[in-house]
Amino acid sequence: MLTKNNAKFIKSLQLKKFRQKEALFIVEGEKNTLELLNSAYKVKTILGSEQFLSDNHLIISKAGAETIEVTDKQLASLGSFKSNDKALAVVHIPTEPTYERRGIQLVLDDIRDPGNLGTIIRIADWYGIKSIICSETTAELFNPKTISASMGSIFRINVFRRNLEGFFKEQSGIAVYGALLNGDNIHKTKFDKEAYIVIGNESNGIRETLLSFIEHPITIPKLGGAESLNAAMATAIICDNIFREA
Amino acid sequence: MLTKNNAKFIKSLQLKKFRQKEALFIVEGEKNTLELLNSAYKVKTILGSEQFLSDNHLIISKAGAETIEVTDKQLASLGSFKSNDKALAVVHIPTEPTYERRGIQLVLDDIRDPGNLGTIIRIADWYGIKSIICSETTAELFNPKTISASMGSIFRINVFRRNLEGFFKEQSGIAVYGALLNGDNIHKTKFDKEAYIVIGNESNGIRETLLSFIEHPITIPKLGGAESLNAAMATAIICDNIFREA
């Protein structure tokens, strides 16, 4: 049964300060919850309809999660989305895994919109990219909007938060590409198999203190009138160009 | 000066029923307003700070728009966005232009999210696509979220709303590509110079009654774990593949 205190506690996790204090976050919706249960994330509680809990009881008990049966109305009132279909999970924030350099990795400089971050994580997952390095000013990974936009991909991608200047100073012998104006046409670029791809903030581009690390400026050719593409669009197009030979 | 009645009237235009009744819509923010003033759209009123109105008085008077000087606080209270920077315009909804078949055109089936529609318009504009045909169930063009996401591109693209089955029955002698599962790899597809590209709803794909019109099913190769891409991402990647030879 959902107590008032339980409900209050879960709602508090919509705010970053409570997520940080409790080291917990929430995952909303059936698809995201099922992807979560199939991941290595440690789940504290699953809230769902009688149907959802019974349909998925094997995987839920395997995950070692406690369960609370709730009505659709209760579920909708707990989440940040108006229609919160069938399930919500309370999940432990994991410790960051050990960083490993391998294959193509995205580096996000100041992507502040959590929806954009979630979309970029989903694109990375589509193309089989395993790791993303985010600047300290990039949106929070456990914001409900990031999680929602990632559509479950967040559970398959390692995301690291770093001071990017410090990060790049430690790297050597690896190609660094950056999305910039007046770079090389991505349609004609041969990408290394191991590389960093730096994507900047839509309004400000990649910050100046990172430019010296970018040996390969790249640009998406523009044929029409739009001034720019948003960071998620640009990432999708660049990734498709990187992996088109694979 | 902004009267109470004026303010109430402008706020009412955030709702579709009042936009339809008045045949007016609102454009928010400096960038969108400036793009609007450079377009053929008929502007009724420009609301802006003293600075904005004075900096742009030539182009505003050329557009024949009346002006109302407002404070930043008034501006924020009128719009649908929390920070509504510097300007807002009240604009006449134009009559749909005459449809012309030319070059690559996008056909959107049931893209319900106005943010996605606006983003797709912006992508079309980036690649120089001039026309988009929307199903009757696709989001409204003059929704503030569509306009905001299009970042001014809405004023450069012709958007038509059609019953798509009826539309395709009238077309012949033109290639129709559709984003589907198990279609041809877009990396290996040679696109005709004149063609329709059909993009479906993310959850449901392209509706069944349209499938018989699609001679060329196409697919974005997937290398990782994500189940799908959203409609705007898919459009960006497909457009980049179409125009990569150009």
Side-chain angles (χ1 to χ4, degrees):
Chain A
M1 210 191 72
L2 184 70
T3 65
K4 270 194 182 173
N5 269 343
N6 259 338
K8 200 177 151 194
F9 179 76
I10 291 168
K11 279 188 213 168
S12 79
L13 297 175
Q14 286 179 29
L15 295 178
K16 186 175 179 180
K17 77 171 174 182
F18 291 108
R19 288 194 290 272
Q20 289 184 327
K21 187 178 158 218
E22 304 291 342
L24 291 169
F25 69 103
I26 54 177
V27 169
E28 302 178 53
E30 182 178 21
K31 181 178 158 50
N32 276 320
T33 302
L34 290 176
E35 295 257 18
L36 164 73
L37 286 167
N38 282 303
S39 78
Y41 276 65
K42 208 173 140 207
V43 185
K44 184 175 183 294
T45 314
I46 298 283
L47 297 96
S49 62
E50 190 188 350
Q51 184 75 45
F52 181 87
L53 296 179
S54 110
D55 285 354
N56 301 288
H57 74 279
L58 272 179
I59 192 171
I60 293 172
S61 69
K62 204 177 143 201
E66 63 187 29
T67 56
I68 300 177
E69 191 184 314
V70 287
T71 63
D72 288 357
K73 208 177 146 191
Q74 283 175 321
L75 209 51
S77 78
L78 289 175
S80 54
F81 306 113
K82 272 178 206 160
S83 78
N84 191 2
D85 70 328
K86 294 183 190 162
L88 183 148
V90 181
V91 191
H92 294 279
I93 292 183
T95 52
E96 219 177 65
T98 308
Y99 177 70
E100 237 186 297
R101 204 167 92 176
R102 205 177 125 210
I104 299 289
Q105 303 195 335
L106 300 180
V107 179
L108 307 183
D109 181 23
D110 200 26
I111 305 297
R112 295 200 186 183
D113 180 78
N116 267 350
L117 175 60
T119 304
I120 289 173
I121 290 171
R122 190 172 170 196
I123 294 163
D125 188 28
W126 178 270
Y127 285 103
I129 291 173
K130 298 289 179 214
S131 302
I132 298 177
I133 298 108
C134 296
S135 72
E136 292 158 320
T137 54
T138 287
E140 192 209 352
L141 187 59
F142 300 109
N143 183 306
K145 285 183 192 160
T146 311
I147 294 169
S148 164
S150 95
M151 292 289 278
S153 290
I154 206 171
F155 307 121
R156 282 185 292 269
I157 303 283
N158 293 319
V159 177
F160 303 89
R161 192 167 291 270
R162 289 284 189 281
N163 170 298
L164 294 185
E165 288 84 357
F167 176 80
F168 277 121
K169 272 183 199 151
E170 288 167 12
Q171 308 300 324
S172 65
I174 179 165
V176 181
Y177 299 83
L180 292 164
L181 298 172
N182 305 316
D184 295 331
N185 180 339
I186 52 160
H187 296 161
K188 294 175 182 168
T189 301
K190 288 264 172 214
F191 290 90
D192 282 18
K193 299 267 178 236
E194 188 174 51
Y196 294 117
I197 314 295
V198 188
I199 306 287
N201 172 296
E202 176 175 337
S203 306
N204 308 318
I206 297 169
R207 78 181 79 172
E208 224 175 301
T209 49
L210 291 180
L211 295 181
S212 64
F213 298 107
I214 295 171
E215 308 143 24
H216 305 285
I218 50 172
T219 297
I220 301 170
K222 161 180 152 174
L223 303 167
E227 254 179 44
S228 62
L229 290 168
N230 82 27
M233 298 296 122
T235 305
I237 295 166
I238 291 170
C239 285
D240 189 69
N241 276 273
I242 293 173
F243 292 101
R244 58 185 295 120
E245 312 295 310
Chain B
M1 208 192 71
L2 184 71
T3 65
K4 270 195 184 173
N5 270 343
N6 258 337
K8 199 177 151 193
F9 179 75
I10 290 167
K11 278 187 214 170
S12 78
L13 297 176
Q14 285 180 29
L15 296 177
K16 186 174 178 179
K17 76 171 177 185
F18 291 108
R19 288 195 289 272
Q20 289 185 327
K21 187 179 160 218
E22 304 292 343
L24 291 169
F25 69 103
I26 55 177
V27 169
E28 302 178 52
E30 182 177 23
K31 178 175 160 55
N32 276 319
T33 303
L34 290 176
E35 295 257 17
L36 165 73
L37 286 166
N38 281 304
S39 78
Y41 275 65
K42 209 174 139 208
V43 184
K44 184 176 184 292
T45 315
I46 297 284
L47 297 95
S49 62
E50 190 188 352
Q51 184 74 43
F52 181 88
L53 296 178
S54 110
D55 285 353
N56 301 289
H57 75 277
L58 273 178
I59 190 169
I60 293 171
S61 70
K62 203 176 145 201
E66 63 188 27
T67 57
I68 300 178
E69 189 183 315
V70 286
T71 63
D72 287 356
K73 207 177 145 190
Q74 284 175 322
L75 209 50
S77 78
L78 289 174
S80 53
F81 306 112
K82 272 178 207 161
S83 77
N84 193 1
D85 69 325
K86 294 184 188 162
L88 182 148
V90 180
V91 191
H92 294 279
I93 292 182
T95 52
E96 221 177 62
T98 308
Y99 177 70
E100 235 185 298
R101 203 166 92 175
R102 205 178 125 210
I104 298 289
Q105 302 194 335
L106 300 180
V107 179
L108 306 182
D109 180 23
D110 200 25
I111 305 297
R112 295 198 186 183
D113 179 79
N116 267 350
L117 175 60
T119 304
I120 290 173
I121 290 171
R122 188 172 171 197
I123 294 163
D125 188 29
W126 178 271
Y127 285 102
I129 290 173
K130 298 288 179 218
S131 301
I132 298 178
I133 299 109
C134 295
S135 73
E136 293 158 319
T137 54
T138 287
E140 191 209 352
L141 188 60
F142 299 110
N143 182 307
K145 284 183 193 161
T146 311
I147 293 168
S148 162
S150 96
M151 292 290 278
S153 290
I154 207 169
F155 307 121
R156 282 185 291 268
I157 303 284
N158 293 320
V159 178
F160 303 89
R161 192 167 290 269
R162 289 285 189 280
N163 171 297
L164 294 184
E165 289 85 356
F167 176 80
F168 277 120
K169 273 183 198 147
E170 288 167 12
Q171 309 299 324
S172 65
I174 179 165
V176 181
Y177 300 82
L180 291 165
L181 298 172
N182 306 316
D184 295 331
N185 181 339
I186 52 161
H187 296 162
K188 293 173 181 170
T189 301
K190 289 264 169 213
F191 290 90
D192 282 18
K193 299 266 180 239
E194 188 174 49
Y196 294 118
I197 314 294
V198 188
I199 306 287
N201 172 296
E202 176 176 338
S203 307
N204 308 316
I206 297 169
R207 78 181 78 176
E208 224 175 301
T209 49
L210 292 179
L211 295 181
S212 64
F213 299 108
I214 295 170
E215 307 144 25
H216 305 285
I218 50 172
T219 298
I220 302 170
K222 161 181 151 172
L223 304 167
E227 254 180 45
S228 62
L229 290 167
N230 84 27
M233 296 298 122
T235 305
I237 295 167
I238 291 170
C239 285
D240 189 68
N241 276 273
I242 293 173
F243 292 102
R244 58 184 296 119
E245 313 295 308

